Amino acid sequence: MAEKVVVGMSGGVDSSVAALLLKRAGYDVVGLFMKNWEDDDDDEYCSTREDLVDAAAAADVIGVGLEAVNFAAEYRERVFASFLAEYAAGRTPNPDVLCNAEIKFKAFLDHAMKLGAKRIATGHYAQMREADGKSELLRGADAGKDQSYFLHRLNQAQLSRVLFPVGHLKKTEVRRIAQEAGLPNHAKKASTGICFIGERPFREFLNRYLPKTPGPMVTPEGRGVGEHIGLAFYTIGQRKGIGLGGAGEPWYVAQKRMAANELVVVQGHDHPLLLRSSLQGLDASWVLAAPAAGTDHSAKTRYRQADSACKVSRVENGNIDVAFSQPHWAVTPGQSVVLYDGEVCLGGAVIA
């Protein structure tokens, strides 16, 4: 009998082609559409219904069944509650990282096992390699689409049951395969932003759940230059939406002084307060094993960023210290620092 694989089908072209390739390879493929958010089903920004229709249309062309599962309760408890708590504390979390670890590769994986599948598959641009009986997580072949950054918290138990069928392909190849197969979503625009926010204005969304607590906007020296609407509504390195103009270089958010409820702003993209040569990472998670203190690697502190050479100077009790060879711009508490050895993703930690 063919091995059963449950594919997470989001309605996008990547997951649809993942299902198509597995079907062609002889697997017994079942599609699974995950509904992770239900507060805005009738909202102009919510695309869940449209995405389900697209996933069903693609599944029909491929010739596989599609099941829709509601993980909204799990998502709210495991991902969204943490998202709000982090913003309230002045940090800028990355919910996609937590969603992968807690929903797509935990709740979804558990559900797939109940359906009798041995493995699951997604349309992520990442690859895996077996080494000494262990699973290594590798970057996707398309450097511009590589998603290993978002997958760095996956463990061996999760990776051993996962397939990434499009990880070895370029995005252009994925679209070509979809078009040649007649998939109706072959030209569908890729989704952007956080899944539960979609294309909506971010502050408008956040203000539903967090109160505005205005306070002074100051220079590093303490000179008042304006008023902010609440520290939770800003992120390090932000330029647009600050409300400061006038002569000179643009203003950027550089620090949040939580105790004083002060937002520190500076002028100039390369102001010293926006540059950091080191950071501390908390709650570290490693795909295989933690790197040794004193070892050299490369790292990203945000998804759309080139790697930078770094040294891990301390690994202790789930925390790490990382020193960069060149200063990093706008290192943001709550985001993830992810370490690599060449093409291999080692894991990472939450920036303090």
Side-chain angles (χ1 to χ4, degrees):
M1 290 179 62
E3 179 186 337
K4 189 172 191 175
V5 177
V6 179
V7 182
M9 296 184 68
S10 65
V13 65
D14 301 324
S15 58
S16 297
V17 170
L20 174 68
L21 294 178
L22 290 174
K23 172 82 172 182
R24 287 177 175 176
Y27 288 96
D28 175 14
V29 177
V30 177
L32 192 93
F33 180 86
M34 288 174 274
K35 181 179 174 67
N36 296 330
W37 189 253
E38 57 186 5
D39 283 20
D40 310 295
D41 264 3
D42 299 318
D43 192 286
E44 62 178 307
Y45 297 109
C46 188
S47 62
T48 301
R49 292 183 181 180
E50 177 188 333
D51 291 338
L52 177 56
V53 169
D54 290 343
D60 186 53
V61 172
I62 298 167
V64 299
L66 181 73
E67 177 187 354
V69 178
N70 191 322
F71 290 135
E74 291 89 341
Y75 191 94
R76 180 172 282 276
E77 177 185 343
R78 302 183 195 178
V79 179
F80 189 62
S82 173
F83 169 87
L84 289 182
E86 285 289 279
Y87 267 104
R91 294 182 285 270
T92 305
N94 192 320
D96 289 334
V97 171
L98 198 55
C99 179
N100 282 327
E102 292 294 332
I103 304 300
K104 293 181 180 176
F105 297 90
K106 188 170 285 185
F108 167 36
L109 180 59
D110 290 344
H111 186 82
M113 298 303 106
K114 292 176 184 176
L115 294 178
K118 292 186 177 179
R119 289 188 283 184
I120 63 172
T122 70
H124 283 99
Y125 285 86
Q127 303 180 83
M128 284 195 307
R129 180 174 66 198
E130 293 299 313
D132 299 323
K134 300 289 186 178
S135 299
E136 289 183 329
L137 176 64
L138 310 180
R139 303 177 198 262
D142 190 332
K145 293 292 181 181
D146 166 47
Q147 293 174 304
S148 58
Y149 178 92
F150 297 116
L151 302 170
H152 74 271
R153 295 191 73 86
L154 300 188
N155 58 38
Q156 287 295 300
Q158 291 167 316
L159 283 174
S160 67
R161 293 184 175 274
V162 176
L163 295 169
F164 298 122
V166 303
H168 66 291
L169 299 172
K170 303 275 189 181
K171 180 77 174 195
T172 52
E173 295 175 281
V174 170
R175 289 203 183 277
R176 177 184 57 78
I177 292 169
Q179 185 172 18
E180 291 176 354
L183 296 184
N185 56 357
H186 67 87
K188 184 176 180 178
K189 182 182 176 183
S191 60
T192 60
I194 301 167
C195 52
F196 50 80
I197 295 173
E199 306 293 338
R200 86 185 71 241
F202 182 73
R203 281 186 180 173
E204 170 194 296
F205 175 84
L206 203 58
N207 192 45
R208 296 186 195 175
Y209 302 94
L210 295 178
K212 289 183 177 178
T213 52
M217 196 180 294
V218 302
T219 66
E221 300 76 29
R223 176 173 63 91
V225 292
E227 185 178 76
H228 65 78
I229 62 172
L231 296 182
F233 298 88
Y234 302 84
T235 189
I236 305 302
Q238 180 177 331
R239 180 173 68 87
K240 296 181 179 179
I242 300 176
L244 294 177
E249 296 187 79
W251 291 88
Y252 293 85
V253 173
Q255 290 178 341
K256 297 181 182 183
R257 295 173 179 167
M258 299 300 293
N261 194 28
E262 291 180 341
L263 187 73
V264 180
V265 293
V266 298
Q267 280 187 289
H269 181 276
D270 296 322
H271 189 282
L273 276 185
L274 289 170
L275 301 172
R276 281 176 61 179
S277 296
S278 63
L279 61 80
Q280 182 183 28
L282 311 175
D283 188 26
S285 179
W286 307 108
V287 176
L288 280 168
T295 52
D296 295 318
H297 308 278
S298 64
K300 294 176 184 286
T301 57
R302 57 183 65 201
Y303 171 50
R304 296 286 186 190
Q305 182 184 64
D307 286 27
S308 292
C310 70
K311 183 183 289 289
V312 177
S313 56
R314 181 179 70 95
V315 181
E316 187 177 281
N317 299 325
N319 301 330
I320 59 173
D321 289 340
V322 177
F324 300 105
S325 58
Q326 298 290 330
H328 263 223
W329 186 80
V331 173
T332 305
Q335 291 286 296
S336 296
V337 56
V338 180
L339 302 181
Y340 293 85
D341 273 345
E343 295 304 299
V344 180
C345 178
L346 304 179
V350 180
I351 299 170

